[in-house]
Amino acid sequence: MPVLYLTDPEEAATRVQALVDSGAILGADTETTGLDPRAADLRLVQITDGEVVLVLDMAKLGAPTVLLPLEGARAVFHNVQFDLGFMLAAGVRLREPSCTQLEAAALTHDPMMSLAKAAERFLGVSVEKEQQVSDWSAPELTEAQVRYAAMDALLTLALHGELMRRIKNQRATRGFTLVRSSIPAIADAKARGVLLDRVAHGDLVRDWTAQREAALGTLRAVIGPDLNPESGPQLAKWLDANLEDGPRASWPATPRGQLATDRDTLEAFADVPLVKPLLDYRRVSHRLKTWGEGYQRHLTPEGRIHPGFLLLGARSGRMSCRKPNVQNLPRDPALRACFVAPEGYRIVAADYGQIELRTAGLLSGDPVIRAAYEGGHDLHREIVARVTGRPVAEVTDAERKLGKALNFGLLYGAGAATFRKRAKVDYGLDLSQEEAEQFKRVFDETYASLRWWQAEGQREAQARGWIKTPGGRRVNFRDPADCYTDSRNYPIQAAAADLQLLAIQRTHAALLDAKLPAHLVNFVHDELVLEVREDALEDTAALIQGAMTGAFLDLFKAHDPEPLARGLVEVGIGPNYAEAK
């Protein structure tokens, strides 16, 4: 197959335009001088229709105008977010990109499969990657580098054909289209990044550092000077030797037989005197490493963080985030206030209210859940009233926390012991085992239709091994024979993931069409976070409300969703993320 290494701008522009005009799906790849598009350069862009490979040397072609025809191309990359980051930095915005890494994830639930691994698994081709780490900033590239670059584009195109054939055979093309259509919005959000108040965050880091040192001093007085408080095996051995018989007898063990030292276990035993100083240290140490030092390592000189959003990051299809994670923010107003809008802008946070419970009510048809949302009632207060036997009007704000623990803790079929533990860890509620069992019994009786639907779902999961989501995606169970929890979790979480994807792409498209000065910057659970210029706040809020509500009504149209759309989208505005909540 011809490989054309292009360094003449006129010839490159002509050939790129001709390839795009053919209407063919193009395999594409890039080679760069580094990993960060804000600090490194785009060296090569390779595109192929399967008949010829164009290798564009951007160091010699100069201005990236030769790439502009690709904006309207049907181009498929592997690890598309990396390539789009460099394309956007060059001023090129692809409207319909696809990604073989995402296609593989749709089939395998592995969101990080490399091109080499995918080619070997799906094409039976072994790929040599030695040239990947060669010097792409060299004035003259070698013939081996050019051949390597061309081969990656060809492999991507071949892989795309095979993966989409398999997705089509699973009747999941519509579901993958839902995922693919979200790619441009995610790329734009990563490119813009979230803005951090350096001063406020620096003050917070210093405060956490002082708290950690104080907590470590207190802990050392208990565990001695030699034990490493970050070492699970050392802590397990120490706890085994020092715990009193009562907590020691009920303390869970790891598969290897040593005492568990994870966060949830420590939180469940927070009242044990030996555990409290250890837990205090672990809490502040985790805050400092994750949201303090971790964020500072990724700050750009402009004060922004450009996280890696991972579509299909979880098996359910939920998005994840890495390097660093800006989605799992604790409910700490001081930290959330560090995420700010630039001058002349405001943070807008648009959240789907209680979407997992609404989704459960829609898919199961549970009349109690539906009636609560249709009537504008508070489902958390209502379940507290049922378990306590008191009128809803008498349920206090403090008691409502029990309702959240019940609805969110028991929704996916947890047993009484697990519910009791989660109520303690997540909500600070001390329940006896008898209370937990009674509350679970009332919950199951109250939402009887939900429980029946979940039992039927488990039987279907065991028989088929997979489910189809409202958006048309296929989600496979790890172990269909043992899927009690997953068969209750995946249908709801996967549907909520579909909704988030649809809301993201519709909001992004509507903002571009309206040419509003508003930018998606983060996705926190079921919430979209934007930076919006002050003079466009009203128009943007209305647009988001419409896009998110429309996504909900369209995705769940088979389940009569309109009555449950009351109070669906909550929009907050503020100078920072804390005040926009």
Side-chain angles (χ1 to χ4, degrees):
M1 179 180 300
V3 175
L4 303 181
Y5 172 63
L6 301 173
T7 59
D8 178 72
E10 186 174 345
E11 181 186 6
T14 300
R15 290 190 179 276
V16 170
Q17 188 65 63
L19 213 56
V20 172
D21 288 345
S22 72
I25 295 175
L26 305 179
D29 190 34
T30 64
E31 306 301 336
T32 65
T33 61
L35 301 179
D36 185 353
R38 287 157 294 279
D41 295 321
L42 185 63
R43 179 58 192 264
L44 296 183
V45 177
Q46 310 93 263
I47 54 175
T48 181
D49 61 355
E51 300 294 331
V52 63
V53 186
L54 306 185
V55 179
L56 310 172
D57 192 334
M58 302 310 298
K60 298 182 181 297
L61 290 170
T65 52
V66 296
L67 301 177
L68 290 177
L70 294 177
E71 292 190 329
R74 295 190 298 163
V76 56
F77 298 80
H78 193 87
N79 190 12
V80 68
Q81 294 299 333
F82 176 84
D83 300 292
L84 291 192
F86 280 88
M87 288 289 192
L88 286 169
V92 180
R93 180 189 299 276
L94 277 71
R95 294 188 290 273
E96 293 188 72
S98 193
C99 179
T100 48
Q101 191 173 64
L102 281 175
E103 292 164 5
L107 293 167
T108 67
H109 303 298
D110 178 356
M112 297 291 291
M113 189 178 293
S114 68
L115 179 60
K117 183 178 178 181
E120 184 171 2
R121 175 168 178 174
F122 294 105
L123 300 177
V125 174
S126 180
V127 181
E128 299 293 334
K129 301 296 288 184
E130 288 83 357
Q131 294 297 326
Q132 185 177 37
V133 294
S134 60
D135 184 6
W136 294 102
S137 63
E140 300 297 331
L141 299 180
T142 67
E143 183 179 344
Q145 286 178 302
V146 173
R147 282 200 311 271
Y148 162 81
M151 181 55 68
D152 275 3
L154 283 167
L155 279 173
T156 300
L157 184 61
L159 192 58
H160 170 71
E162 175 60 21
L163 293 173
M164 289 309 300
R165 182 188 68 79
R166 296 189 184 210
I167 289 172
K168 183 178 180 180
N169 287 345
Q170 291 187 353
R171 298 183 179 180
T173 304
R174 179 172 66 93
F176 183 73
T177 300
L178 177 66
V179 178
R180 177 182 60 76
S181 299
S182 304
I183 291 172
I186 303 304
D188 281 354
K190 176 180 174 62
R192 186 169 181 87
V194 291
L195 183 62
L196 210 65
D197 184 331
R198 282 180 174 274
V199 175
H201 188 256
D203 290 343
L204 200 57
V205 168
R206 282 187 288 274
D207 185 39
W208 287 344
T209 301
Q211 290 179 33
R212 183 179 64 176
E213 293 307 308
L216 181 59
T218 302
L219 179 61
R220 285 284 178 218
V222 177
I223 65 175
D226 299 324
L227 191 147
N228 178 4
E230 303 291 349
S231 169
Q234 289 185 36
L235 284 176
K237 185 177 180 180
W238 181 84
L239 287 168
D240 195 21
N242 290 277
L243 282 172
E244 295 181 358
D245 291 343
R248 174 63 185 83
S250 58
W251 198 284
T254 68
R256 294 186 176 183
Q258 70 180 30
L259 295 187
T261 59
D262 60 280
R263 172 184 173 271
D264 283 355
T265 298
L266 295 178
E267 291 282 1
F269 288 88
D271 295 334
V272 175
L274 284 180
V275 173
K276 186 179 184 305
L278 174 59
L279 192 54
D280 288 343
Y281 171 78
R282 282 282 189 89
R283 284 169 177 163
V284 69
S285 179
H286 177 68
R287 282 199 302 269
L288 182 61
K289 287 189 289 188
T290 304
W291 301 297
E293 296 165 349
Y295 281 2
Q296 288 185 333
R297 282 196 301 271
H298 290 89
L299 267 177
T300 68
E302 296 76 29
R304 288 191 179 267
I305 294 173
H306 299 270
F309 297 108
L310 201 59
L311 287 167
L312 303 183
R315 181 170 287 263
S316 65
R318 284 287 200 178
M319 190 189 311
S320 63
C321 187
R322 55 197 294 270
K323 295 184 179 180
N325 191 336
V326 295
Q327 292 181 323
N328 70 334
L329 297 175
R331 297 186 180 279
D332 179 353
L335 175 61
R336 293 188 170 207
C338 293
F339 291 89
V340 296
E343 185 176 355
Y345 281 71
R346 286 288 183 269
I347 296 294
V348 174
D351 188 22
Y352 279 120
Q354 299 177 8
I355 197 59
E356 291 173 29
L357 291 170
R358 289 181 199 262
T359 300
L362 281 169
L363 298 181
S364 70
D366 189 283
V368 176
I369 300 176
R370 287 195 64 107
Y373 287 113
E374 289 175 12
H377 303 152
D378 187 333
L379 199 61
H380 297 327
R381 292 184 190 276
E382 293 205 350
I383 192 63
V384 173
R386 287 177 182 261
V387 300
T388 61
R390 292 163 45 207
V392 174
E394 294 182 9
V395 176
T396 66
D397 290 343
E399 291 171 326
R400 185 178 182 270
K401 185 162 60 172
L402 173 60
K404 295 179 72 173
L406 283 160
N407 283 328
F408 295 134
L410 293 173
L411 176 61
Y412 298 114
T418 301
F419 161 63
R420 181 187 177 199
K421 179 179 179 180
R422 297 301 341 154
K424 171 69 174 177
V425 172
D426 297 337
Y427 298 95
L429 299 174
D430 286 306
L431 304 177
S432 68
Q433 184 65 21
E434 182 180 359
E435 286 176 317
E437 291 172 356
Q438 175 202 343
F439 291 169
K440 182 183 181 328
R441 186 166 54 251
V442 174
F443 183 97
D444 292 344
E445 292 170 354
T446 300
Y447 304 130
S449 293
L450 169 69
R451 287 305 193 223
W452 178 88
W453 172 73
Q454 290 179 323
E456 288 296 303
Q458 182 180 352
R459 281 189 281 273
E460 184 176 337
Q462 289 171 334
R464 291 200 310 180
W466 54 271
I467 59 167
K468 188 64 70 67
T469 72
R473 293 186 301 108
R474 177 164 159 164
V475 178
N476 302 304
F477 291 96
R478 292 184 181 87
D479 182 1
D482 183 19
C483 65
Y484 175 88
T485 300
D486 288 346
S487 67
R488 286 155 175 78
N489 179 286
Y490 289 172
I492 297 170
Q493 289 287 349
D498 286 355
L499 179 59
Q500 185 191 40
L501 291 173
L502 190 57
I504 287 171
Q505 63 190 249
R506 288 195 175 181
T507 300
H508 181 255
L511 290 172
L512 291 177
D513 288 345
K515 295 182 172 57
L516 286 171
H519 310 276
L520 285 163
V521 294
N522 201 1
F523 316 95
V524 183
H525 306 302
D526 302 300
E527 181 179 62
L528 308 187
V529 183
L530 303 90
E531 292 176 356
V532 181
R533 204 170 66 195
E534 290 172 343
D535 61 351
L537 288 170
E538 185 175 345
D539 289 344
T540 302
L543 181 149
I544 297 169
Q545 283 268 7
M548 293 179 69
T549 302
F552 175 83
L553 296 176
D554 288 346
L555 183 68
F556 296 114
K557 61 185 176 184
H559 302 278
D560 186 23
E562 193 157 354
L564 273 71
R566 183 173 181 176
L568 174 68
V569 180
E570 303 165 357
V571 178
I573 301 173
N576 57 60
Y577 182 53
E579 294 186 49
K581 292 293 291 173

